[in-house]
Amino acid sequence: MTNSARINPFACGWFQVEYSDQLKPGEVRPFRAFDREFVLWRDEEGRAHLMDAYCRDLGTHLGHGGRVKGSALQCPFHGWCFDGDGDCVEIPYSPDARLSHRGLRSLPLVERHGLLFAWWHPENQAPDYQLPDLPEYRDPQWSRYHRHGWNVPTVWYEIQENIVDSTHFHYLHGVNSLAEVKRCENQGTVLDVDIHHRFNTPAGVVPGFIQTTLHGPYLALVRFRVGDLAEILFIDGITVRGAREVDLNFSLMARLEGIRSPDMSLELVQEAIRQVSEDVPIWRHKARWERPSLAAGDGPIMKFRRWATQFSPLPASHHEKLELTHV
């Protein structure tokens, strides 16, 4: 089996759930990811939670009619209450009932950079890497987020593989020159990619770069700069909905100070959105070869694929077999 065949469409990692300002205290809604149903809610104290959706009583979906009561979520059918950790804390009509073993799975969830991120692992293993910091989010030289999203019938690794595909920038997106991969280095769960281009601008052809750091499978920080003229920085966040359905969200910031052309920075935001919109039909219809017939200049595709395999979850029984093999 090749490395590409071992990349799992339901990889383990931190993924984007929502923008923080889009989930108000007391709000409850259904949420679908990894072909599963969850309930997303924010308690009255302001903490956000993401839990399995179905009440352990009679299977009611808590995202449809569930109510927030203080720091708990109440089932609309029989009134069972669950705290943010998913524990059942009250069965109001049966005060003497044992509450243990009646709880729901709750995913680790954090708020950072104005976004909600949750951790996915099918066997509830704890997060094994941290989310990155983004100091520009608090820097007045940078704009607020420009938000754009796409729903695409594909898998996460098709989208993220574009980061190392240096050739398509010229032929698909019309970038002036064939790109040059200056760096593609991985350190554990982090992959750093530095690709240099030459861009057509009103000031002539100007050198620039797209620097991307992938933090696990679903989150990338991308810096797009054209000389000293313009610069943007954005979060590329993927939410896996199903085996062949993902949401791709861009949270883009334009640099408005310390750069020669703030207006061009704002234009770069639209350029990034335009380029991804051109990628979508490719992702929608392309095949996935396990052994692609690559040519020099295609970029470090296979290096990306080898890096990506580490996020494929293996069942406990498989781990036990591996341990026995090495005894």
Side-chain angles (χ1 to χ4, degrees):
M1 184 179 292
T2 66
N3 285 318
S4 60
R6 293 198 299 268
I7 303 175
N8 195 305
F10 292 172
C12 305
W14 290 101
F15 67 96
Q16 182 173 333
V17 175
E18 183 56 280
Y19 289 94
S20 292
D21 61 10
Q22 295 301 301
L23 186 68
K24 307 301 183 185
E27 186 174 354
V28 182
R29 67 171 77 155
F31 186 86
R32 181 172 63 92
F34 306 103
D35 266 343
R36 296 172 65 106
E37 289 292 320
F38 297 94
V39 55
L40 175 65
W41 58 289
R42 193 185 289 279
D43 64 33
E44 292 178 357
E45 297 176 356
R47 293 184 295 266
H49 311 281
L50 185 66
M51 307 188 318
D52 281 343
Y54 298 110
C55 181
R56 293 291 298 276
D57 181 18
L58 289 173
T60 304
H61 194 306
L62 300 174
H64 296 279
R67 297 180 293 270
V68 174
K69 293 181 61 178
S71 59
L73 179 64
Q74 185 174 53
C75 175
F77 197 26
H78 285 185
W80 288 30
C81 292
F82 303 88
D83 66 14
D85 293 326
D87 294 330
C88 183
V89 293
E90 183 185 8
I91 300 175
Y93 58 87
S94 186
D96 296 327
R98 293 182 60 186
L99 301 180
S100 59
H101 307 297
R102 298 181 189 266
L104 305 172
R105 173 183 180 178
S106 180
L107 302 189
L109 188 146
V110 299
E111 297 196 51
R112 191 162 298 176
H113 322 313
L115 297 167
L116 293 171
F117 295 99
W119 170 263
W120 165 256
H121 192 288
E123 296 183 349
N124 300 335
Q125 292 184 21
D128 58 12
Y129 65 92
Q130 300 299 312
L131 289 164
D133 191 23
L134 186 64
E136 289 86 353
Y137 179 73
R138 302 178 294 274
D139 190 332
Q141 290 190 343
W142 292 81
S143 74
R144 294 181 178 272
Y145 286 146
H146 300 258
R147 306 175 184 185
H148 201 89
W150 301 261
N151 178 265
V152 191
T154 188
V155 289
W156 70 269
Y157 44 83
E158 287 285 0
I159 291 176
Q160 304 298 48
E161 191 170 283
N162 256 32
I163 291 167
V164 299
D165 180 355
S166 55
T167 302
H168 88 285
F169 290 104
H170 176 68
Y171 290 97
L172 181 61
H173 302 317
V175 175
N176 179 268
S177 61
L178 285 170
E180 181 183 0
V181 180
K182 293 286 190 179
R183 183 167 57 100
C184 180
E185 299 175 355
N186 63 284
Q187 294 185 357
T189 57
V190 174
L191 182 69
D192 280 312
V193 183
D194 186 1
I195 295 180
H196 286 221
H197 301 268
R198 295 181 66 81
F199 296 95
N200 290 316
T201 76
V205 178
V206 176
F209 58 76
I210 300 177
Q211 293 176 337
T212 304
T213 303
L214 267 160
H215 296 268
Y218 304 128
L219 174 64
L221 299 184
V222 185
R223 187 180 295 274
F224 184 178
R225 180 160 180 154
V226 179
D228 64 350
L229 294 172
E231 184 176 10
I232 63 173
L233 177 64
F234 60 92
I235 296 174
D236 151 0
I238 290 178
T239 304
V240 176
R241 300 298 186 182
R244 280 197 62 84
E245 182 192 0
V246 302
D247 285 347
L248 171 60
N249 293 289
F250 271 19
S251 304
L252 307 106
M253 298 184 297
R255 187 166 186 174
L256 303 178
E257 297 181 28
I259 204 78
R260 187 141 58 99
S261 179
D263 288 344
M264 189 179 293
S265 290
L266 294 171
E267 290 171 7
L268 269 189
V269 167
Q270 298 307 313
E271 175 64 13
I273 293 170
R274 181 191 70 82
Q275 289 190 13
V276 174
S277 297
E278 292 175 336
D279 289 319
V280 169
I282 303 292
W283 294 328
R284 185 182 297 272
H285 300 293
K286 74 187 296 289
R288 176 82 173 182
W289 304 134
E290 293 182 10
R291 297 180 176 86
S293 181
L294 298 174
D298 277 332
I301 301 292
M302 300 312 294
K303 186 170 186 177
F304 166 82
R305 293 187 183 189
R306 289 190 293 271
W307 173 82
T309 59
Q310 68 182 294
F311 305 107
S312 295
L314 295 174
S317 60
H318 187 86
H319 286 293
E320 291 167 3
K321 290 178 183 176
L322 288 177
E323 290 170 3
L324 289 172
T325 301
H326 289 87
V327 170

